[in-house]
Amino acid sequence: MKSYLKFNFIALAISVFLISCSSNGNEKKLPYIGESTVNEKTVDGQTVTDTIPYAIPSFSFLNQDSVMITDKTFENKIFIANFFFTNCPSICPTMQRNLLQVYEKYKDDDRVAFLSHSIDFKYDSPAVLKSYAEKLGVTDDRWQFVMGSKKDIYGMADSYFVYTKEDETAPGGYDHQGYFMLIDKNKHIRGAYDGTLIDQIDLLLADMEVLLKEQ
Amino acid sequence: MKKHFLIISFSISMLLSILIVSCQPNVSIETAQYAVNGQKLYITHCQNCHGAKGEGLGTLYPPLTDSTYLRQNRHQLASIVKFGMQGAIEVAGKTFDNAMPGIKELSNIEIAYILTYVTTTFGKDTKTYTQEEVQESLKGHQ
């Protein structure tokens, strides 16, 4: 019994050592967020399992230039998605101020894009979004501001795991979370950051560098 | 001899008073207290749009650092905070035309706190924005 305990202890010590080695030795890797699907295939009579991480579904929305953009627009790019509305009096100004910093840091870098979805499907037309983008200081199409039907936009928010709701009691009429979702080139979600907090922005910037180095 | 003594004591007291004054901060205790209270209210009600340093955001929300604007419109500031603002204004050389919502639930003393914070921290003023000034500013709306 005693030796059994001792053996267990040694095994524990070894695994702690291994874990601490792997997290210190290698470079930081970003997680895959969302439930992955496991496909079973039979190859040459053997069962092979294939794990595919969660990816956001394909989409098409009208942008601030009244151009229909789709998931193809973000091909070979990493991008940051969020949900906002132009008349939002609560968290949006802080969120967009912080995202603007990231946008300005990656000026002239075509590997990085930004996608802001408006949840005010009643008021935020492309013209309103265009004016908002210009006033914010967004001058090129690296940062897309999109609108769509309530069903499409709120459905998309669910796909990003961001809470959005039309709510008369909320300031401005809509309730939503201020997450920045970091999406990789294959549309997998690789990070979620509170867009209203400055230290979360530092974390996002660091993680973006990790993701840009990934193949 | 008496004259000499007078001159010496006069210059000593002058020196002393200069020393004392220069040790004091350049705002009164009351102004400093108003500004401290104002900062908390500013964070709750104003900072989202106007920023932690009053820097504003693009041409969406104007900065609160334009001392000239703050001085020229001092009598209107309380009314803008309480009842909001419509139409285009020029601040720090840029035009802003988004509507600002008012914060009707603020009391006069709270508005005085906020505006003392704004005008002495972001602007270059050293005086308290008094409750009397708030009352005067709100008159047109009541």
Side-chain angles (χ1 to χ4, degrees), chain B:
Chain B
M1 190 59 201
K2 210 175 180 187
K3 208 176 171 189
H4 266 230
F5 178 73
L6 256 176
I7 289 172
I8 288 168
S9 75
F10 179 76
S11 24
I12 287 174
S13 50
M14 274 294 282
L15 260 172
L16 266 175
S17 60
I18 287 171
L19 252 170
I20 288 167
V21 169
S22 64
C23 281
Q24 297 280 328
N26 57 3
V27 294
S28 71
I29 298 285
E30 184 206 51
T31 306
Q33 284 170 341
Y34 268 52
V36 166
N37 293 336
Q39 182 175 26
K40 290 177 200 154
L41 291 159
Y42 178 85
I43 290 169
T44 312
H45 298 288
C46 322
Q47 185 166 302
N48 267 326
C49 294
H50 293 291
K53 292 172 192 145
E55 73 272 25
L57 180 60
T59 50
L60 285 168
Y61 318 113
L64 305 178
T65 49
D66 182 350
S67 289
T68 313
Y69 183 91
L70 292 177
R71 271 182 199 154
Q72 282 173 354
N73 298 279
R74 187 174 174 95
H75 59 287
Q76 282 182 29
L77 297 179
S79 148
I80 296 170
V81 170
K82 184 141 184 159
F83 301 108
M85 198 182 206
Q86 302 272 345
I89 52 165
E90 202 179 305
V91 182
K94 287 189 213 157
T95 305
F96 296 83
D97 60 3
N98 279 23
M100 165 171 156
I103 313 157
K104 294 205 176 57
E105 69 266 26
L106 289 175
S107 66
N108 286 6
I109 184 80
E110 286 176 321
I111 294 173
Y113 289 156
I114 292 174
L115 288 174
T116 300
Y117 175 68
V118 168
T119 53
T120 61
T121 313
F122 305 142
K124 291 193 187 93
D125 273 322
T126 50
K127 292 192 313 245
T128 304
Y129 196 100
T130 63
Q131 286 190 74
E132 289 71 36
E133 282 181 278
V134 175
Q135 233 164 23
E136 193 60 33
S137 173
L138 298 182
K139 253 184 190 167
H141 280 274
Q142 280 158 356

Side-chain angles (χ1 to χ4, degrees), chain A residues 89-90 93-94 97 100 132 135-136, chain B residues 48-49 51 56-59 97-98:
Chain A
S90 55
T94 306
R97 174 184 289 113
L100 186 68
Y132 179 89
K135 286 176 179 176
L136 185 63
Chain B
N48 267 326
C49 294
L57 180 60
T59 50
D97 60 3
N98 279 23

Side-chain angles (χ1 to χ4, degrees), chain A residues 41-73:
Chain A
K41 282 188 296 188
T42 311
V43 181
D44 300 333
Q46 282 191 327
T47 310
V48 182
T49 54
D50 201 7
T51 309
I52 302 161
Y54 174 83
I56 55 158
S58 56
F59 57 83
S60 66
F61 294 118
L62 215 51
N63 79 355
Q64 71 265 38
D65 296 312
S66 299
V67 173
M68 199 62 100
I69 63 153
T70 68
D71 42 298
K72 301 268 187 302
T73 310

